[in-house]
Amino acid sequence: MTSNHPACCSPFDATWPFPEALPGAVMRSCRFDPARLAADDFPRSAIAAPANIQRSVAKRQAEFLAGRLCARSALLGLTGRADVPALGEDRAPVWPAGITGSISHSHGLATALVASDTQWRGLGLDLEEPLASDRALRLAEEILIPAELQRLDGLTPEQKAERITLTFSIKESLFKALYPLVHKRFYFHDAEMLDCDDTRARLRLLTDLSAEWTAGSELQGWHCLFQGRLLSLVAVAA
């Protein structure tokens, strides 16, 4: 940790948490505490704060700062250059030429994943705090299509909450992985999680996003528990 590393963020963690490797990818994570955010943390860290971030509350500022610091550390490990992805008009990170990546944060934990676009065309990473059973069931119909809801039958309330949290997260990762390729927004009901096991999940698009990514296209995702959160990943090979 360098002297200009902000006190609100922990040292970087280079742990790869998934049981399967993603060749060529570099991941960095850190914890952050909005209560320890200092007024000069952005300039001292050499991270530019967009206007909307400057106007936001400490929590949003801290998670943005932590996410960009993780991204810069990951890019340094991948390319040897300490680049920082800009914030695009669509609020998505703008990665350096030749790089694909993803940033996520949840309840005091931030992480970033980067790779060369000659190996991975799209990366989607999502961190989620596990949903409590009552909240998961309230949100189920917003996240799951009817076929996914039917697959909840026979599960315990805790198992249902885990499945709903995973479906939410893996669909978020799917969006992050495909949006830079299709430049078209899509939503929870536009994809289906067909099945899952302890480490993998299989997804199918239910709508046409582009000439390449049409309804019926299937992708694989991965998931694991990472520092008490659910972490999911969808990667599109080059």
Side-chain angles (χ1 to χ4, degrees):
M1 183 168 65
T2 60
S3 59
N4 62 352
H5 193 88
C8 65
C9 296
S10 73
F12 297 116
D13 181 354
T15 299
W16 179 256
F18 298 99
E20 295 181 47
L22 202 66
V26 176
M27 182 174 164
R28 295 289 186 270
S29 307
C30 76
R31 291 186 172 272
F32 63 90
D33 181 359
R36 301 187 68 189
L37 181 72
D40 63 345
D41 274 347
F42 277 90
R44 282 201 312 114
S45 303
I47 301 288
N52 67 306
I53 298 297
Q54 295 177 33
R55 295 191 299 267
S56 62
V57 298
K59 173 182 176 295
R60 178 69 185 109
Q61 291 183 13
E63 65 189 18
F64 182 90
L65 178 62
R68 258 45 186 191
L69 287 169
C70 288
R72 182 169 67 189
S73 180
L75 286 167
L76 183 62
L78 179 70
T79 68
R81 300 188 306 270
D83 295 320
V84 179
L87 185 66
E89 292 184 6
D90 55 5
R91 304 290 179 92
V94 179
W95 298 97
I99 302 297
T100 185
S102 187
I103 300 172
S104 191
H105 37 70
S106 173
H107 294 77
L109 180 65
T111 188
L113 178 68
V114 297
S116 167
D117 64 9
T118 61
Q119 287 186 275
W120 301 99
R121 296 169 57 203
L123 294 174
L125 197 66
D126 184 68
L127 273 170
E128 296 294 336
E129 188 88 353
L131 292 169
S133 295
D134 55 348
R135 184 157 186 258
L137 292 173
R138 287 199 305 270
L139 294 173
E141 290 190 0
E142 298 177 29
I143 301 165
L144 278 62
I145 66 166
E148 293 169 326
L149 288 168
Q150 285 184 344
R151 294 185 200 117
L152 298 179
D153 292 347
L155 300 181
T156 67
E158 292 76 16
Q159 290 171 329
K160 288 179 181 179
E162 290 176 0
R163 180 70 59 83
I164 294 165
T165 303
L166 174 58
T167 306
F168 179 93
S169 185
I170 203 78
K171 288 184 180 182
E172 286 284 330
S173 290
L174 177 69
F175 177 84
K176 289 181 176 182
L178 289 185
Y179 177 74
L181 304 179
V182 302
H183 302 289
K184 180 179 180 179
R185 294 200 171 274
F186 58 101
Y187 304 94
F188 291 116
H189 289 183
D190 293 328
E192 177 183 3
M193 188 173 77
L194 296 169
D195 53 55
C196 62
D197 59 21
D198 290 342
T199 60
R200 297 185 181 193
R202 190 162 56 97
L203 296 146
R204 178 170 61 197
L205 292 179
L206 302 178
T207 188
D208 293 339
L209 299 178
S210 70
E212 178 184 7
W213 297 101
T214 56
S217 299
E218 293 190 12
L219 299 94
Q220 179 178 283
W222 296 267
H223 61 96
C224 64
L225 278 177
F226 181 53
Q227 298 192 29
R229 283 87 170 160
L230 173 68
L231 180 65
S232 69
L233 166 65
V234 172
V236 181

